[in-house]
Every structure is written in C-alpha cells, then in structure tokens.
Amino acid sequence: MSPWGTAKSAEFRGPLDVARAATVVLDAQDTVIGWSRTAEELFGYAQDEIIGKPLDTFLPPRQPSGLTEADEAGSALGAPLSGGEIRVAQHSDGRSLLVATAVSSLPGSGTAAHVLVATALESLRLWESRLALLQGLATQSPVGLGIYDTDLRLTWCNAAYELEIGLPFAEFRGLRADELYSEGSFLTEGYPNTLDSVMNQVLDTGEPIVDLHFRGRPPSDPDVEHLWSCSYYRLQDADGHVFGVCEDAFDITDRYEAQKRLALLVEAGRGIGTVLDVMVTAEEIAEVAVPEFADAVTVDLVEEVVEGGVLGAGGPAGGALVRVASRSAPAKGPAGLGGPGESGGPDEPEKTDPPSPVDYPPGSPQMRSLSSGGLVLADDTLVVPLRAGGSPLGLVTFRRAPWATFDNGEIALADELAARTAVSIDNARRYSRERAASLALQRQLLPRHLPQQTAVDLAYRYLPTDDVTGVGGDWFDVIALSGTRVGLVVGDVVGHGLQAAATMGRLRTTVRALAQLDLPPDELLRRLDDLVGQSAEDLMDAVGPPIEPREDDATGATCLYAVYDPVSRRCTMARAGHLPPAIVDPEGRLSYPDLPAGPPLGLGGLPFESKELELPVGSLIALFTDGLVETRGRDIDQGLNILGRVLGDPGRSLEELCDRALSELLPYGTTADDTALLLVRTRELDPGHVAHWELPAEPVAVGHARELATGQLREWDLEELTFSTELVVSELVTNAVRHAEGPLQLRLIRDRTLLCEVADAGHTSPHLRHSEAEDEGGRGLFIVAQLVHRWGTRYTESGKTIWTEQVFPSAE
C-alpha cells in the first residue's frame, strides 16, 4: 500500500481538492446555479444572494491587455498550477481576493455546464511550500530517507538513500532493511539485534528511536564498514491509521573515525609514559594501539636504550635491536601477522623479559625504515621510527589484516603515537641513567643498613625532596666506637639534589673518620668546621666566586653529634647550628635539652660546647632535620609539638613511631626540604659483663693485672682467650707503668667482642713500630697488634685509654 494512497490523507490532494476548495456550479451562460458552503466562506455571498447572478459578480473577467495583478502573482509563484489559473475575485464587502481557480466541464445535456473550483492564494502558497519541501527532501537532502510499509518493505526513498545503496531504486524496492546490509550490527546498546526488530518495535509502540548507531556494509561499498546514525518513527494520519515507518540515516563514518583517532590520542596521553620505565612505556603503546588502531603491534628498541646507555647520533640502525613489547588482538594473531622473533599468539601481550634480539632481513619494511629514518607503509604493515634528538631509539610496527589498510589520517596518527612514545622512552632512558648514577652515589653516601648496636635500639627514615635522584643534603649515621659506645650523627646541608648530596657525602665521611679518633663531640665539630671552611677557601681560590648563585649549590651545613656510653648511661652531645634532639624518658616525659647551639659549619671563629646527660635505661633520643618539623604552612614550634606528642607514646615500637611521625608531620608523603629522622632507645650494658680495677703505677701491677684478667676470663668461660689476653694486659700495663703516670685502670668488657682497656693519666700515645735486630725492646705493641682484632687510643680530660678488641673463638 502506498503511504500516499489513503482517503484520509487529504493533505496530499492539493489546494483545489473539491472536498476542501470553494465549489461553484455554472450553467452554459456562466450563471451561478450551485453554491457550496466553502464558496460562501471564501467570497462572502450567501447562497440566496448569489444564485441566479452572473459569474462576474464575484469573478470579474480578465483585463484585455497588460499584466494583471493575478498575472504578476502567478509569475512570482513560478510555474502555473496544473489545470488552473490565478484570478482576482471580488468579495461581497468590496475587497479583492487573489484566488486560484480551475474550471471543469460537466458531461451530458443538463442545465449544469461547468464546475468552478477556487481557493485562496494563501492555501496555494502553503501547498507550493509543501511541494518544495518534499522536492528538497527527495532530491537535495544529504540525509537518507526511506519509507517502509507495515510489512517492513521499502516503498520509497530519496536520492541520498539511493546513493548510499549504490543501486537504482527499482532494483531494491520492496526489500527489507536487513536484506540491504551485510554483517550489520548496532554500536548503541539496549536495542534489538536487527533493523527489522527495531522497526517492529517502533510500529508496535509508536515510540521513535533516535540516533541509533548502526554499522554495516552497503552494496555500494561491500569491502568497507560504514557507520550510520539512524532514527525511526512511525507514519500515521490524523485518525491514527498506521501506514509505515520512516527511516532517516546519516553516514557518520568519517566523523566516527576522527573521533576514534582523537580518543586514541587522549588515551595515549593518559596511558603512555605513566612511569619512567623504558620497558613499561613500550608495553603501554602496544596496549593503547591494540585493538583500537592495529591488529598487532611490536616495539623494538636499540639495545643501548634498554640499558640506559648514552645515545649516539650514529648510523641508520643505531645499534642492535631487541624486542621489548608485542601485542595481538583476539583472533587476529596468526603467524602471518607476526614478524621476526614474534610468536603471534592471540589476545595476550607477549612478554619478552629479558628483551630478545631481533634481526630483520634486508628489504623488509623495518630495515627500510632503519635505513631511511622515516616511516614505511607496505600494504598492511606500517613501520614508524622512534627518534629523540636525531638519535634512533627503535621502531614501532603496526599490522592489520590484509583487507584493512592504513589511510593518510591513520598514518599521521601512528606518527603522533610514535613521537609521544619516543619522548617518553627517552625520558625514561635519561631517568634510568641518572637514577642509576644517583643510587650508586647514595649507596656510597648513606648507610644502606645500620648494624645492630649493644648500646641502643634504632630505627630511621630518610625522605629526600628530590624524589627523582633519591638523594639530598640531609644525612644521619650511627658509628660504633670503642668501649661499646656509639656515635649518633644527624646533619643538614643547605640545598637539594646532587650538589648538596656531594657535600653531604664529604661531611659524612669526615665525621666517620674523626669519630674513630674518639674525639669528644665539641672537638669533633671544631675540626669539622675547620675542614669545611678550608674547603670553601680552596674552592674560591681554584675557580673564583660564582657569577650567580645556583639554587642547588650547597652553601652551608648544620650537624649534631652525640656519644652514648651504655656502661655509664651517659650521653655527651654538641651541635653546630642544628636543632636539639628530643628526649623522652621511659615514663613518656618529653624534653629538648638546653644544648648550646654553636654556629653552622664553615663560619669559623666561634666555639662549640658539649653537654653531658645521664639517661635512664629505655630513654628515647630523636635526632632529626628541620624538614621534618618545618613546612610552609607550619612553623617549627607547631612541628615540635606534634613530634613530641607522637614520641610520647611509650607503648609503640621505634618503627611504628617513625611511621607515625612521618604520617602526622608529612601527611602527603612529600616535603619542601630533605628530611632525616633517627630514633634510638638506650640500653645499659649488663654489669656482669664489665670488670674494672684500679692499679698502682708500679712494676708489681703487671703481674697482678694478669691474674685479675685470667680470673675474669674463667668466670666468663673464655679460657681460650687467656694466653692472648695475658700478653695484651702485660704489654699495656707495662707501657703505662714505664711511660705514663698513675693511677692505672684496667677494664674488661664482654660484649660482641672482648674489650680490654688500660687507662692512665698520660697524654702520650704509643706508636707501633718495627724493632731492629739489635733492639732490646719495642716489640710488645707490635705483638699485641697481631693478636687482637682492633686497637686504638682515646683521650679524656684526665688522660688516655688504650683499648683492644678480640673476637670470640666461636665467631672466628
């Protein structure tokens, strides 16, 4: 059934339809003998007023010459109405009316000879506009229009629809929509699976479906999938009679592909280069490109790039290639899509850990790209080089099924993806190289682990501002000293990054060297200050003053040095411009000792002072740098209060306290300044592991000292060390009697090693030397050095102490 062929569809019959227009019946002399109600409404004459009157009562004759108003109107309207003409009529009230008329002769010999049909020109214009609209939709609209009857057979389409199908309308008239498109599918979810089902739903419910995305292959282009935006709505007349479904469809393939490319670039921006890792970045471009852009992707890099080496601007290949990433789309990964060294397994990325070498044959697209330095398109394979600063990084190979080649827009997209990947890979390569150097420096500058100490339990945290290199200007250290004592260090170099780290490394090394001399804290800082000032003067003499200051130049440093003795439970400390430590007693009471500040290192001219404290067993000492307690939005006092609150919880372990301190003071895990935190909890050496005697500075003291030492070793079940200990005690006491002043002190300590100490009131240190054959003495200290693990001298205000360490037999 034609959508236009219904009696109810009067809109399509035209303005001179007798069912709607004014109708006048005339006899042979053009006298009115019939007058419709519509004529009465149009011309204003009642039926009894006009019957019997001549036609020219309301329709004057044409003018004999020249153009009439009706002629001009007809000319303006274009082609005259088929079967009619435009006239000027006279209304009963004297007005002139522009009307369209048509006259039809009546057959037979009756009185009625003619029927005149008339309508107002406004109705004509409406009809003409409708005809023009329909003509435009049929021939000029870029939107494909098709009308299907209630059996879902195509009954009419416009020119755009016919062009989309690629056949004359007569050849596909009467077909169903699903018969017109092969392999059709919907991208829009929530709708039936076929076009017939969609149209049936519209017919049944009357609800239109708008912007339904349908993908299929039209007869005009069966090798390429197209995408249409389709809308469907039911056709019915004013009485609700349904006579079909109208489909309008617009091909949005190009727009959709452009949107896909843009979306892919957006995804590439989010998904490529998320971490500074060469291998991960290579895998990321493969993940982004498959399956949205290519069926298979492989990434091959120059071996030096993977290893973080230095790039050269050299030859076309730039070095041996290794496969670092490979990915294939589901059901599109047969061996035919693979390349050298690629298994081509479907769906999953192919791991190449470690990267595997790949060798392309001469003439292959990859070798042509390497040789030319540009991208190469060979049928279904697109090879794009990865370059940075003129140096080759590697290749990305995009592959598709043989029927899906790359167009110009996709080639440009592949080039953009490769360019972004190259930048990310080069950044990752540079980062890996710099980080490797920085980590090597860090291993030399900071303790990788702190050995367990008898004197203290400890925990620490280090958080540099420069999270790229992982090093900064702050440092901490724990140094084992003689007599089971321990040196605690924390320092801060002004500045950040490698410059500050290099200065920090020099200071840390110097502190460790000075600490081995058993210097008191104030003396150690004085010598460190002299070295810092001397180094600055030497640098100024060598290179001159800097032209302009640089932010990462280290221009000063602060330091705190403390020595804790677990035998006496006394802690001596001094500071050079550094924050004092926080001390929490076993009951949780917090204090910041009134420790003389001292000047920062390198200023010179001002003294340093030490302070000695006696600490209960289990006291907590917190050494830290100002990056922990001072931030842009918080002053030092607030930070110290927060730190004190955290440290005042005696029930938590040192590791928990470190974590809580960082979470409370640095909640975002970052800081504007380097941060170091060292927590130690003091111990006391078991009195049963310490033996101490005073001896007179007389020769008889030597034998007595041997007896005391031998007896103590028996109590400690260390008889295996008796012989060596007797020799050590004899030599050290003999030297003290001969060369120093009394009284003498002998102390044995059983710790991780056996410690033997002899103290006297002298300040002269013995020297280890080789005796000549004729010498009668001078060999004792040389023999002692061969028997012990370590030995040394430390000075006190009252004299000096010579000490030795022997390893237990079970530890050798």
Side-chain angles (χ1 to χ4, degrees):
M1 173 173 54
S2 171
W4 319 112
T6 170
K8 297 296 185 179
S9 303
E11 288 293 328
F12 295 99
R13 296 185 179 187
L16 298 180
D17 178 14
V18 295
R20 302 172 57 201
T23 306
V24 180
V25 182
L26 304 170
D27 62 12
Q29 288 75 36
D30 287 338
T31 301
V32 177
I33 61 174
W35 192 257
S36 69
R37 183 177 296 277
T38 309
E40 182 177 341
E41 294 173 355
L42 177 61
F43 297 110
Y45 293 97
Q47 186 175 12
D48 57 358
E49 295 176 337
I50 197 64
I51 295 295
K53 298 290 181 70
L55 174 63
D56 57 10
T57 303
F58 63 90
L59 191 64
R62 295 188 184 88
Q63 297 296 325
S65 64
L67 288 175
T68 66
E69 183 181 357
D71 294 328
E72 294 174 353
S75 177
L77 287 172
L81 184 66
S82 176
E85 57 184 351
I86 298 173
R87 303 279 298 274
V88 177
Q90 193 73 31
H91 196 274
S92 63
D93 61 7
R95 291 184 291 115
S96 295
L97 297 175
L98 198 61
V99 296
T101 65
V103 179
S104 177
S105 298
L106 297 176
S109 58
T111 303
H114 308 284
V115 174
L116 182 144
V117 182
T119 186
L121 187 59
E122 287 75 11
S123 299
L124 176 65
R125 285 173 174 169
L126 177 61
W127 171 247
E128 293 284 354
S129 65
R130 289 177 177 175
L131 288 179
L133 175 62
L134 291 175
Q135 181 73 8
L137 289 175
T139 61
Q140 301 173 19
S141 173
V143 178
L145 292 175
I147 294 180
Y148 293 81
D149 62 19
T150 54
D151 294 328
L152 304 184
R153 301 288 181 180
L154 183 65
T155 62
W156 178 87
C157 72
N158 67 351
Y161 199 99
E162 190 175 24
L163 182 64
E164 194 71 55
I165 299 300
L167 297 172
F169 176 60
E171 296 187 21
F172 59 89
R173 181 201 300 267
L175 293 180
R176 291 176 177 270
D178 287 330
E179 296 173 340
L180 292 173
Y181 302 95
S182 61
E183 303 179 14
S185 62
F186 293 113
L187 295 186
T188 309
E189 296 181 356
Y191 291 97
N193 295 328
T194 65
L195 291 173
D196 285 358
S197 300
V198 169
M199 292 185 187
N200 273 322
Q201 177 178 320
V202 172
L203 284 175
D204 293 341
T205 65
E207 294 292 330
I209 293 178
V210 180
D211 197 24
L212 178 64
H213 288 186
F214 174 75
R215 180 166 55 191
R217 301 176 185 271
S220 61
D221 198 4
D223 294 332
V224 178
E225 281 191 335
H226 286 243
L227 183 68
W228 293 273
S229 173
C230 303
S231 296
Y232 300 90
Y233 46 92
R234 192 167 69 182
L235 296 176
Q236 59 189 46
D237 60 20
D239 295 332
H241 178 74
V242 177
F243 53 85
V245 176
C246 185
E247 173 193 61
D248 64 60
F250 187 73
D251 193 325
I252 59 172
T253 305
D254 293 340
R255 186 181 72 187
Y256 178 71
E257 292 299 327
Q259 290 175 340
K260 280 179 57 179
R261 293 168 191 167
L262 180 60
L264 191 63
L265 284 178
V266 172
E267 179 62 24
R270 289 196 301 255
I272 298 176
T274 58
V275 296
L276 290 170
D277 185 283
V278 171
M279 303 291 289
V280 172
T281 302
E283 292 172 359
E284 285 172 341
I285 184 177
E287 183 176 353
V288 167
V290 176
E292 296 299 325
F293 182 72
D295 298 325
V297 171
T298 58
V299 183
D300 307 315
L301 296 181
V302 176
E303 192 170 11
E304 288 80 0
V305 175
V306 179
E307 296 173 354
V310 179
L311 292 181
L321 292 177
V322 292
R323 176 66 47 81
V324 294
S326 179
R327 180 179 287 264
S328 301
K332 293 186 179 180
L337 287 178
E342 181 184 358
S343 64
D347 197 20
E348 292 297 325
E350 297 160 14
K351 299 298 183 181
T352 52
D353 187 17
S356 57
V358 59
D359 186 18
Y360 289 103
S364 64
Q366 289 79 6
M367 284 304 297
R368 288 159 52 194
S369 177
L370 290 171
S371 300
S372 65
L375 59 84
V376 173
L377 176 61
D379 297 328
D380 58 351
T381 299
L382 177 61
V383 182
V384 185
L386 299 171
R387 302 185 67 84
S391 298
L393 302 177
L395 300 170
V396 181
T397 301
F398 302 94
R399 293 185 177 87
R400 286 182 173 176
W403 60 84
T405 58
F406 297 91
D407 60 28
N408 290 336
E410 290 168 332
I411 292 174
L413 175 60
D415 198 26
E416 176 67 21
L417 290 176
R420 295 190 180 198
T421 303
V423 171
S424 298
I425 287 177
D426 192 47
N427 287 341
R429 178 193 64 83
R430 293 172 183 270
Y431 169 77
S432 299
R433 180 176 175 80
E434 292 177 6
R435 182 165 178 79
S438 300
L439 291 177
L441 176 63
Q442 183 185 38
R443 285 192 291 268
Q444 298 298 322
L445 300 183
L446 290 175
R448 281 174 285 178
H449 63 277
L450 296 178
Q452 293 297 320
Q453 303 287 336
T454 301
V456 293
D457 293 320
L458 54 90
Y460 57 89
R461 296 291 185 271
Y462 181 74
L463 187 64
T465 301
D466 189 350
D467 56 358
V468 174
T469 61
V471 294
D474 291 8
W475 89 95
F476 63 92
D477 211 344
V478 177
I479 306 170
L481 302 176
S482 63
T484 69
R485 297 169 307 134
V486 63
L488 308 173
V489 189
V490 67
D492 184 356
V493 174
V494 175
H496 310 295
L498 293 177
Q499 287 282 350
T503 301
M504 174 269 287
R506 295 195 300 270
L507 294 180
R508 176 177 178 266
T509 302
T510 303
V511 170
R512 291 189 69 88
L514 294 176
Q516 297 305 319
L517 299 177
D518 276 314
L519 299 174
D522 57 340
E523 178 65 16
L524 183 144
L525 292 180
R526 185 189 67 78
R527 295 196 184 187
L528 185 63
D529 179 64
D530 291 342
L531 290 174
V532 171
Q534 182 180 354
S535 298
E537 292 177 2
D538 293 344
L539 181 61
M540 184 74 70
D541 293 340
V543 302
I547 298 176
E548 59 182 17
R550 293 180 299 179
E551 184 179 355
D552 60 348
D553 280 343
T555 57
T558 64
C559 183
L560 186 148
Y561 180 63
V563 176
Y564 176 70
D565 186 346
V567 177
S568 63
R569 293 184 289 103
R570 303 190 72 82
C571 183
T572 306
M573 57 186 71
R575 63 188 178 118
H578 202 83
L579 292 172
I583 298 179
V584 182
D585 67 17
E587 304 299 322
R589 291 185 291 267
L590 171 73
S591 65
Y592 293 96
D594 185 15
L595 184 62
L601 298 173
L603 297 183
L606 296 175
F608 299 96
E609 298 181 41
S610 293
K611 186 180 182 87
E612 187 175 77
L613 304 173
E614 184 172 348
L615 302 177
V617 178
S619 295
L620 176 65
I621 306 175
L623 292 83
F624 51 89
T625 57
D626 57 2
L628 179 68
V629 293
E630 184 180 22
T631 63
R632 291 190 179 95
R634 183 185 64 220
D635 60 30
I636 286 184
D637 290 337
Q638 291 176 309
L640 292 176
N641 291 335
I642 296 174
L643 178 62
R645 174 170 52 79
V646 171
L647 299 179
D649 187 351
R652 295 186 179 271
S653 68
L654 295 181
E655 293 291 339
E656 291 175 321
L657 291 177
C658 279
D659 291 336
R660 280 200 61 194
L662 291 185
S663 64
E664 292 277 348
L665 292 163
L666 305 173
Y668 302 108
T670 58
T671 174
D673 194 7
D674 301 329
T675 298
L677 172 64
L678 175 63
L679 297 183
V680 297
R681 184 165 281 137
T682 63
R683 295 177 178 174
E684 181 182 27
L685 195 63
D686 187 345
H689 289 183
V690 181
H692 181 272
W693 303 280
E694 288 197 7
L695 302 172
E698 300 175 356
V700 295
V702 177
H704 184 47
R706 286 197 301 267
E707 293 175 359
L708 293 173
T710 301
Q712 188 62 53
L713 292 179
R714 282 197 300 268
E715 291 186 19
W716 288 341
D717 294 325
L718 296 176
E719 288 89 347
E720 294 182 50
L721 297 178
T722 298
F723 176 73
S724 59
T725 304
E726 284 184 335
L727 287 177
V728 169
V729 169
S730 295
E731 178 61 26
L732 297 184
V733 174
T734 299
N735 285 341
V737 170
R738 289 181 179 179
H739 306 293
E741 302 176 0
L744 309 180
Q745 294 180 349
L746 171 65
R747 186 168 71 165
L748 297 181
I749 300 177
R750 181 182 180 180
D751 187 36
R752 300 176 186 274
T753 58
L754 177 64
L755 298 163
C756 178
E757 299 179 345
V758 175
D760 58 47
H763 291 83
T764 303
S765 176
H767 296 284
L768 183 67
R769 64 185 181 88
H770 293 277
S771 300
E772 300 296 335
E774 62 275 11
D775 290 342
E776 296 182 0
R779 299 179 179 86
L781 194 56
F782 179 80
I783 296 174
V784 168
Q786 308 308 309
L787 294 175
V788 300
H789 177 61
R790 292 193 309 160
W791 73 279
T793 305
R794 68 173 179 269
Y795 294 91
T796 63
E797 294 180 356
S798 58
K800 69 176 183 298
T801 299
I802 310 297
W803 56 269
T804 65
E805 285 188 20
Q806 297 180 70
V807 178
F808 294 140
S810 59
E812 291 180 344

